[in-house]
Amino acid sequence: MKRFKNMTAHIVILALCLMMAAPGTVSDAKAKKPKLSKKKITITKGKTKKIKLSRAGKKAKVTWTVNKKAKKKKIVRLTAKKKTYCKVKGLKKGKAVLTCKVKKGKKKYTLKCKVTVAKKPAVSSILNAYKNIVPYMGAAVNYGSASPRELRTADTLAFIKKHFNSFTLENEMKPDNILGSSAKTLTVAQAKAKGYYIPEGYSEATVPQLNFAEVDGALEVASKNGLKMRAHTLVWHSQTPGWFFTKGYQDGSVVSADEMDARLDFYVHNVMAHVMDKEKALTGSAGSIVYAWDVVNEYLHRVSFGHKIWDGVYGNMGASPSYVKKAFEIAYAMLKSYNVQDKVTLFYNDYNTYFETQGVLDLVAFINKGEPEKICGGIGMQSHVDVKVPTVKQYGDALEKFLAAGYEIQITELDFTINFDTDGGTYSYSPEGETSADQEKFVKSLMETIITKQKNRNKTVNPKGITGITLWGLCDSTSWRASCEPLLFAEDITSPKPSFYAFIDATKVW
């Protein structure tokens, strides 16, 4: 029996040794494989980019090559081939495949990076290309404490000034940034001493303190650099703190509709007054920087996100939301009080406007009903589009209807995703095999349609037409939808994509 146990123990030990020695076992799996810094890049003709190799190890043998077809056509040239990196220079428009072979002992790895070389644009900037088509060409950017600080970074600011004459703060002008995640309150007397407006009949003992640090910083950058700004947004169900709707500005039960009306008046009045007073201090006149206000955002798509929001106070008001109309009434009165109503437009902004065109028109008609002047003068089409949805025709048909209704139109949040799940309901990245060429084709077709609608509109019915186009970000790596590569520049602002050139080429229809 003892002899049998010893034999069994030897067999177990031998098996373990064989497993440890065998290739492909757990110990091997833990070894990190070599990795390239990029799987695909876009290079402008004449420019050079570096591809880094990591995890190769000091003793590895590394070779860099380009596929034969691209080498024969002289699409790219490898200007440096080192153990840890390779430099690729774009020679002429086309595609190539960079291959990196790594030998680590007995193991061999083959790594690939797809390279697209794009021509330099015929026009040096987006702004120059569109200068005769729309008065404002913009981008969503950030100023504040979190990275990226595009408005406070020299090279990025230079890029913005080259390609755009307008910007929208991506998050820093939304209610949750101005109000804060938790309430910091002032007594009414303290608020008056600070210059806050207190609505007539305001019945509460305190008001929330408002934070304008980032807004003021952005306005200062705009003033110094000759840029204009879209103000986004005053009333929104999302990114508005739940405490703003509750009694005593605490996380309790919601206030009454009358109390909320007064809070709405307080917020809209003070935010707009602060911005216009800041403009006067910087430039000498109100309405000199901010040319458009998104007064209400996405009413047609309001959801709670677990917050005590507008519907929690007013109930579901359907197609006749009194607080939406009231917000526009307050905002328009503010424009009139500063005598800027003829140079600043108030917008209703929403997404999927190309599917809900009539709903948007009905809501804007309700806002303006009974008013001596058009208090909601503009429709903001957010336009987070995908190469599949909407179709270019669907988008063009909606735009044509909005223009025919006589409203000023701004395309406020434009980007163009690929490999985005529009069918499964996840609304996120999906490997659908779409390429930069698909994006390039879609961008050119869509922008040609937008430009053609602007060109052919009835100028008697709609003299202003499309007054602005705002791209929602500067490059893919900083986009909120980065995995679906939605913008005109790739990993940074020095990496124009084929869609960038398509965006500019579309202006030829003008």
Side-chain angles (χ1 to χ4, degrees):
M1 187 69 176
K2 185 175 180 180
R3 184 180 179 185
F4 176 75
K5 287 182 179 179
N6 288 338
M7 287 177 65
T8 304
H10 285 302
I11 291 170
V12 171
I13 292 168
L14 179 61
L16 288 172
C17 291
L18 289 171
M19 287 178 65
M20 292 175 68
T25 60
V26 174
S27 60
D28 281 332
K30 290 181 179 178
K32 292 183 178 179
K33 295 180 179 179
K35 181 181 178 182
L36 293 180
S37 58
K38 300 288 181 182
K39 291 184 178 180
K40 58 182 177 179
I41 58 169
T42 299
I43 308 175
T44 305
K45 179 183 173 183
K47 297 293 184 180
T48 300
K49 284 197 175 181
K50 180 189 285 189
I51 306 298
K52 296 178 182 178
L53 173 66
S54 58
R55 303 174 183 174
K58 293 181 179 180
K59 296 182 179 181
K61 184 179 179 182
V62 178
T63 57
W64 300 87
T65 58
V66 175
N67 62 306
K68 291 181 180 179
K69 185 176 180 181
K71 186 175 182 179
K72 184 177 180 181
K73 291 186 175 182
K74 297 182 180 179
I75 306 280
V76 297
R77 182 171 73 246
L78 304 185
T79 59
K81 296 186 283 185
K82 306 293 183 182
K83 182 172 285 189
T84 57
Y85 70 87
C86 175
K87 288 185 177 180
V88 186
K89 183 174 183 178
L91 301 179
K92 67 179 181 181
K93 184 179 179 181
K95 295 183 182 295
V97 178
L98 174 67
T99 298
C100 175
K101 290 187 177 182
V102 182
K103 185 179 181 182
K104 294 178 68 175
K106 294 182 179 180
K107 292 186 178 181
K108 296 180 181 180
Y109 302 91
T110 300
L111 311 173
K112 293 183 182 292
C113 175
K114 295 179 180 179
V115 181
T116 299
V117 179
K119 286 184 178 180
K120 293 181 179 179
V123 181
S124 61
S125 77
I126 294 171
L127 183 61
N128 286 341
Y130 281 81
K131 64 183 179 182
N132 296 320
I133 300 170
V134 292
Y136 298 109
M137 179 59 67
V141 296
N142 291 292
Y143 172 86
S145 57
S147 180
R149 303 173 180 174
E150 288 113 337
L151 290 177
R152 291 197 282 174
T153 304
D155 58 345
T156 310
L157 181 58
F159 173 87
I160 292 168
K161 290 167 65 176
K162 176 180 179 179
H163 290 287
F164 309 104
N165 61 358
S166 164
F167 65 83
T168 302
L169 289 176
E170 186 174 16
N171 289 299
E172 294 146 321
M173 208 167 184
K174 290 171 181 174
D176 64 352
N177 194 67
I178 292 176
L179 290 166
S181 58
S182 59
K184 295 179 181 179
T185 58
L186 302 168
T187 66
V188 169
Q190 289 172 328
K192 286 181 177 178
K194 288 176 70 70
Y196 283 22
Y197 160 79
I198 306 298
E200 185 177 347
Y202 187 86
S203 61
E204 301 180 76
T206 61
V207 298
Q209 188 168 327
L210 305 177
N211 168 34
F212 294 110
E214 287 84 6
V215 174
D216 285 351
L219 288 168
E220 289 165 8
V221 171
S223 176
K224 290 177 183 177
N225 293 278
L227 297 168
K228 302 293 185 180
M229 177 174 161
R230 294 193 84 259
H232 175 77
T233 176
L234 291 168
V235 176
W236 191 23
H237 62 268
S238 180
Q239 289 186 249
T240 301
W243 61 257
F244 186 56
F245 303 92
T246 58
K247 292 181 179 179
Y249 300 105
Q250 302 296 322
D251 289 328
S253 57
V254 296
V255 296
S256 67
D258 287 342
E259 287 173 311
M260 199 67 228
D261 281 351
R263 291 186 181 190
L264 177 64
D265 192 358
F266 167 84
Y267 184 78
V268 173
H269 188 116
N270 282 300
V271 172
M272 293 187 71
H274 181 91
V275 169
M276 289 189 282
D277 285 342
K278 183 71 174 179
E279 288 176 313
K280 289 172 70 174
L282 291 169
T283 70
S285 62
S288 55
I289 298 172
V290 174
Y291 61 95
W293 287 82
D294 287 335
V295 178
V296 176
N297 197 52
E298 299 177 6
Y299 172 79
L300 294 179
H301 297 96
R302 63 198 182 283
V303 291
S304 70
F305 294 123
H307 298 313
K308 298 175 175 70
I309 58 157
W310 302 99
D311 277 16
V313 175
Y314 295 98
N316 186 347
M317 305 191 81
S320 306
S322 64
Y323 67 91
V324 169
K325 184 176 178 67
K326 184 176 181 65
F328 275 93
E329 290 172 343
I330 298 164
Y332 194 76
M334 289 302 298
L335 296 186
K336 292 193 74 172
S337 70
Y338 283 79
N339 195 31
V340 296
Q341 69 274 19
D342 292 332
K343 61 179 181 179
V344 179
T345 304
L346 303 181
F347 281 79
Y348 172 70
N349 190 55
D350 213 330
Y351 64 88
N352 282 357
T353 50
Y354 25 82
F355 297 134
E356 299 166 25
T357 310
Q358 194 56 50
V360 173
L361 289 171
D362 289 346
L363 179 60
V364 175
F366 164 76
I367 294 167
N368 288 320
K369 186 177 180 180
E371 301 292 338
E373 299 167 290
K374 192 182 285 185
I375 60 175
C376 178
I379 294 171
M381 298 179 69
Q382 287 188 11
S383 304
H384 294 294
V385 297
D386 182 74
V387 294
K388 299 181 296 298
V389 178
T391 65
V392 171
K393 185 179 187 306
Q394 286 172 324
Y395 192 100
D397 288 348
L399 178 56
E400 190 170 316
K401 288 180 182 177
F402 290 145
L403 289 168
Y407 295 107
E408 184 176 339
I409 305 301
Q410 288 184 1
I411 297 166
T412 57
E413 303 180 25
L414 180 61
D415 53 24
F416 324 83
T417 52
I418 57 175
N419 298 309
F420 182 67
D421 176 22
T422 57
D423 301 318
T426 64
Y427 299 103
S428 60
Y429 174 79
S430 176
E432 299 181 0
E434 292 160 349
T435 67
S436 60
D438 297 318
Q439 185 182 58
E440 177 185 18
K441 181 179 178 181
F442 178 81
V443 166
K444 186 173 183 183
S445 180
L446 180 66
M447 297 314 299
E448 285 177 342
T449 297
I450 290 170
I451 294 166
T452 300
K453 298 297 182 185
Q454 170 80 326
K455 182 179 181 180
N456 296 336
R457 74 185 190 280
N458 186 328
K459 295 179 180 63
T460 302
V461 173
N462 197 326
K464 290 186 175 181
I466 304 168
T467 57
I469 298 173
T470 297
L471 291 161
W472 205 246
L474 301 181
C475 59
D476 288 343
S477 61
T478 59
S479 168
W480 68 296
R481 304 203 289 175
S483 61
C484 297
E485 306 172 54
L487 292 167
L488 306 181
F489 289 77
E491 62 269 19
D492 55 45
I493 57 175
T494 67
S495 308
K497 294 159 59 177
S499 56
F500 167 75
Y501 305 109
F503 193 87
I504 287 179
D505 286 345
T507 61
K508 293 176 181 177
V509 301
W510 183 257

